[in-house]
Amino acid sequence: MRRSALLLVAFGLVLVACRPSTPAPTTSETALDATATTLPSIPPTTVSAATTSSTVGEGASGFPVTVDSDLGPVTFQTAPRRVVSLSATHTEMLYAIGAGDRVVATDLTSNFPAAARDTVKLDSFNFNIEEVAALEPDLVIVAFDFQGEPEALAALDIPFLLLGPPDTLEGAFAQLLNVGKATGRAGRAGALAEELSAEVGRIVAAADSLGGARIFHEVDDTLFTASSESFIGDIYARLGLVNIADAAGVGGPFYQLTPEFIVDQDPEFIFLADANFGVTPEAVAARPGWESIRAVVEGNIVPLDGDVAGRWGPRTVDLMREVFEALQGQAP
């Protein structure tokens, strides 16, 4: 698999496009959606004050608001009418909280929900600030600084949020709340975060009876993986699983393992985030030396939806549920 495929699976890279302007929210809409100001706790980890530091302003319609980004607080005086999402993750968030009618552009990998596929696409691997500026956005959401995107946006005074991959589910849900506040959909974002948090709690509680298992999460077929320092690894940790990547002692959220290391660690489950790229359980089982791995012997090679596994949006809880159900199917 090409390295660009790795980036698409692991991070959901970003592109831009345009559509006609959409109407501004009414005062009643934004007032209703300015109510959520705190992140619900996610068992079994408590939420730190840092993740709930965003505040909602005193304006009659809930604005101005100040939200957190990776580059510090950003204040919005009014609700944005034209939003460009350069991240498939945040595209999913925008539509999930009812802000899809503001979205005038998305990246090439924004394929969910179906409405996002209809937006014109521009290649984020070849970021073009002139094309972005031509859309006249009053909010651009970016997940990475690969080509100087933040500097280019700031130079043209285009409001933006840089929201990179979080380390935990708390961080993912905090981003959901911040996207909601920035777009005047804080109430809906808060309700969704509460719903997702409750589902996480139910899955974690149910997983207590399964016992810990050693797992290997495959990002791509060059054996890049996700450690417990990633939001994906946080999901496995909450389910009480032992991530073999941590034993490598490399550090960081994503890195490459060797075939020999994986065979030696003998994972009981292998989860394939690269299944969308044609990697099958049969292909994994046929890898030289892997026939002795317990996951191969017992048939516990689980294909995942790479889009869901590579994004930290609302469907992250679906990933947790899918992993749990795979474990549950093998429980004694």
Side-chain angles (χ1 to χ4, degrees), residues 135-156:
L135 303 171
E136 300 182 351
D138 42 17
L139 172 60
V140 177
I141 303 178
V142 296
F144 301 97
D145 181 2
F146 284 151
Q147 302 166 76
E149 293 91 336
E151 293 80 3
L153 292 165
L156 294 183

Side-chain angles (χ1 to χ4, degrees), residues 67-295:
V67 301
D68 289 335
S69 78
D70 293 357
L71 298 178
V74 179
T75 299
F76 295 88
Q77 297 298 325
T78 60
R81 302 182 186 186
R82 299 179 60 81
V83 180
V84 172
S85 173
L86 302 184
S87 157
T89 289
H90 300 105
T91 298
E92 294 195 16
M93 291 183 182
L94 287 162
Y95 280 92
I97 63 175
D101 60 346
R102 317 284 182 79
V103 176
V104 298
T106 63
D107 68 297
L108 278 177
T109 63
S110 288
N111 55 8
F112 187 90
R117 302 172 192 165
D118 295 333
T119 60
V120 179
K121 309 291 185 177
L122 298 177
D123 187 356
S124 69
F125 285 105
N126 296 285
F127 176 75
N128 187 317
I129 187 58
E130 288 80 12
E131 292 175 326
V132 176
L135 303 171
E136 300 182 351
D138 42 17
L139 172 60
V140 177
I141 303 178
V142 296
F144 301 97
D145 181 2
F146 284 151
Q147 302 166 76
E149 293 91 336
E151 293 80 3
L153 292 165
L156 294 183
D157 293 323
I158 298 174
F160 71 93
L161 293 173
L162 175 61
L163 301 171
D167 298 333
T168 64
L169 285 178
E170 282 93 351
F173 289 2
Q175 286 191 16
L176 176 64
L177 289 182
N178 280 329
V179 170
K181 291 174 184 177
T183 56
R185 292 291 185 264
R188 300 186 191 187
L192 178 57
E194 289 181 4
E195 178 184 337
L196 296 174
S197 175
E199 180 64 10
V200 168
R202 287 190 289 269
I203 297 171
V204 168
D208 285 344
S209 62
L210 297 181
R214 294 185 309 282
I215 66 95
F216 166 58
H217 178 94
E218 180 169 300
V219 172
D220 80 346
D221 61 5
T222 68
L223 306 184
F224 267 79
T225 190
S227 77
S228 292
E229 295 183 36
S230 67
F231 72 95
I232 302 170
D234 184 48
I235 290 174
Y236 291 122
R238 290 175 190 275
L239 294 174
L241 303 175
V242 178
N243 191 337
I244 68 166
D246 299 336
V250 175
F254 298 94
Y255 46 81
Q256 191 174 32
L257 300 176
T258 66
E260 295 77 14
F261 176 85
I262 296 168
V263 171
D264 183 63
Q265 289 295 310
D266 194 25
E268 298 164 72
F269 283 84
I270 296 173
F271 292 96
L272 301 177
D274 50 2
N276 291 17
F277 291 91
V279 178
T280 65
E282 293 75 18
V284 171
R287 291 172 181 171
W290 286 45
E291 66 277 358
S292 64
I293 295 177
R294 183 170 173 181

Side-chain angles (χ1 to χ4, degrees), residues 298-319:
E298 298 183 356
N300 293 333
I301 306 174
V302 184
L304 300 175
D305 185 323
D307 289 343
V308 178
R311 301 172 189 174
W312 54 97
R315 292 193 294 165
T316 295
V317 176
D318 294 342
L319 174 64

